[in-house]
Amino acid sequence: MDHSHTYLIVGLGLLGGKYAQVLSGKGYRVTGIDKDPAAVAWALEKEYICAGADHDFEALVTGADRVIFGLYPTAFLDWVRQYGHLLRPGTLVTDVSGVKRGVVGPVQAMMPEGVEFISSHPMAGRETSGITHSAEVDFAPANFIITPTDRNTPEAIQWCKDLAGVLGFARITTLTPAEHDRMIGYVSQLCHAIAVCLMCASDNSELACYTGDSFRDLTRIARINDKMWAELFLWNKDNLIGEIDMFSAALDRLRDRLAAGDREGLEEMFRLSTKRREAFDKK
């Protein structure tokens, strides 16, 4: 990527902060804005950004030609409605949103003439949140998904791929927004729903002294950012409800075999589980 460009990070949270840290560390000029002055101050202190603001940020917007939004979907749409006109022609824009169908089309439609939005999703979160934890995020083993539409140019798609490479992502793929949301409903949102339900099903605090790795591994993501995940669930509720129903049916099958004393049936499910899990092992 060309080091002559100025990168603006809108939303200096966990992922926005990590983008700023990596890009500035590789010699790119990075600025940032956030409604929280403490986040801006942290980014400036750590030299993740060379300039930042929590208000009166118009000059930072007009001074950038590469913009990355680290906002929740609703806040992202609100920001574009209010300030999108400040983006200057020739600017390329991307995001980190965990859902795409309700984001990509509206944002592309609101972009000023000559500004191109190419949506993407770095699948590299943490149980923690906020810029003070952004250094803990590791992009190297994570997937980066680009969700182009027919409004996107090959040049913008290539820029997004190059950005992912600079950030250090090991695997870069493309999906349509609809394909992305179906996939994310299963491999991410359903997993968080299961972890949450494991913790909410009963008071598990007394088990903390006795539990083993199985429970810890299954519930690691149950320490959850309530505001963000409630929004992501609701924005993708049709897909997530379908995945919950599918999971419930599989759990019912296991329960039925257990109730019937069907050892062979249980072993069959375990063999299938083991076989399918092999595809997810990182090489």
Side-chain angles (χ1 to χ4, degrees):
M1 292 195 309
D2 189 343
H3 279 73
S4 66
H5 296 297
T6 295
Y7 282 78
L8 170 65
I9 312 296
V10 182
L12 292 165
L14 185 73
L15 291 177
K18 185 64 177 183
Y19 274 49
Q21 178 195 10
V22 175
L23 290 171
S24 62
K26 293 191 174 184
Y28 294 91
R29 185 173 191 276
V30 183
T31 62
I33 60 179
D34 195 282
K35 65 181 181 180
D36 181 4
V40 176
W42 174 277
L44 287 168
E45 177 188 347
K46 299 297 181 182
E47 298 184 345
Y48 290 3
I49 57 176
C50 62
D54 60 282
H55 64 285
D56 296 334
F57 49 71
E58 289 80 1
L60 293 179
V61 179
T62 58
D65 57 359
R66 300 290 184 267
V67 180
I68 298 162
F69 282 90
L71 303 175
Y72 299 173
T74 300
F76 182 17
L77 290 174
D78 288 345
W79 194 99
V80 174
R81 288 190 191 100
Q82 189 168 359
Y83 303 110
H85 65 278
L86 297 172
L87 298 166
R88 57 188 173 92
T91 300
L92 295 178
V93 178
T94 193
D95 67 330
V96 303
S97 301
V99 292
K100 296 304 181 188
R101 288 173 301 165
V103 171
V104 178
V107 171
Q108 286 184 333
M110 287 189 287
M111 283 293 150
E113 185 70 26
V115 177
E116 184 170 351
F117 172 53
I118 171 69
S119 189
S120 58
H121 181 193
M123 294 187 65
R126 296 280 298 177
E127 301 80 64
T128 50
S129 61
I131 194 170
T132 58
H133 294 283
S134 58
E136 302 166 10
V137 177
D138 184 7
F139 287 159
N143 294 314
F144 187 94
I145 303 170
I146 303 170
T147 58
T149 73
D150 56 9
R151 292 190 179 207
N152 289 122
T153 62
E155 292 76 17
I157 296 170
Q158 186 59 52
W159 166 69
C160 214
K161 291 178 179 178
D162 293 342
L163 174 64
V166 168
L167 291 169
F169 284 88
R171 180 176 170 82
I172 304 164
T173 56
T174 60
L175 293 171
T176 68
E179 289 170 339
H180 170 276
D181 286 1
R182 283 195 298 271
M183 178 278 300
I184 213 72
Y186 187 64
V187 303
S188 178
Q189 293 180 342
L190 177 63
C191 296
H192 283 79
I194 292 169
V196 165
C197 289
L198 277 170
M199 298 308 300
C200 292
S202 65
D203 180 359
N204 297 288
S205 57
E206 65 189 45
L207 302 178
C209 296
Y210 312 108
T211 189
D213 288 342
S214 297
F215 191 81
R216 279 191 292 268
D217 289 347
L218 279 170
T219 57
R220 176 183 62 83
I221 55 176
R223 183 181 176 185
I224 195 167
N225 181 328
D226 58 327
K227 298 289 189 294
M228 181 183 77
W229 281 99
E231 183 161 323
L232 294 177
F233 275 26
L234 289 167
W235 276 61
N236 199 35
K237 68 179 182 179
D238 57 340
N239 283 316
L240 180 54
I241 288 170
E243 303 299 352
I244 290 172
D245 290 344
M246 183 175 65
F247 175 77
S248 297
L251 191 61
D252 285 342
R253 285 196 299 275
L254 189 148
R255 184 191 183 286
D256 290 344
R257 293 176 184 187
L258 181 62
D262 182 3
R263 179 174 182 137
E264 178 53 37
L266 289 171
E267 291 179 356
E268 180 184 17
M269 291 187 74
F270 298 160
R271 288 192 296 269
L272 178 61
S273 170
T274 300
K275 183 174 186 295
R276 289 180 174 174
R277 181 60 180 80
E278 291 171 359
F280 291 83
D281 292 329
K282 291 182 173 68
K283 305 300 182 187

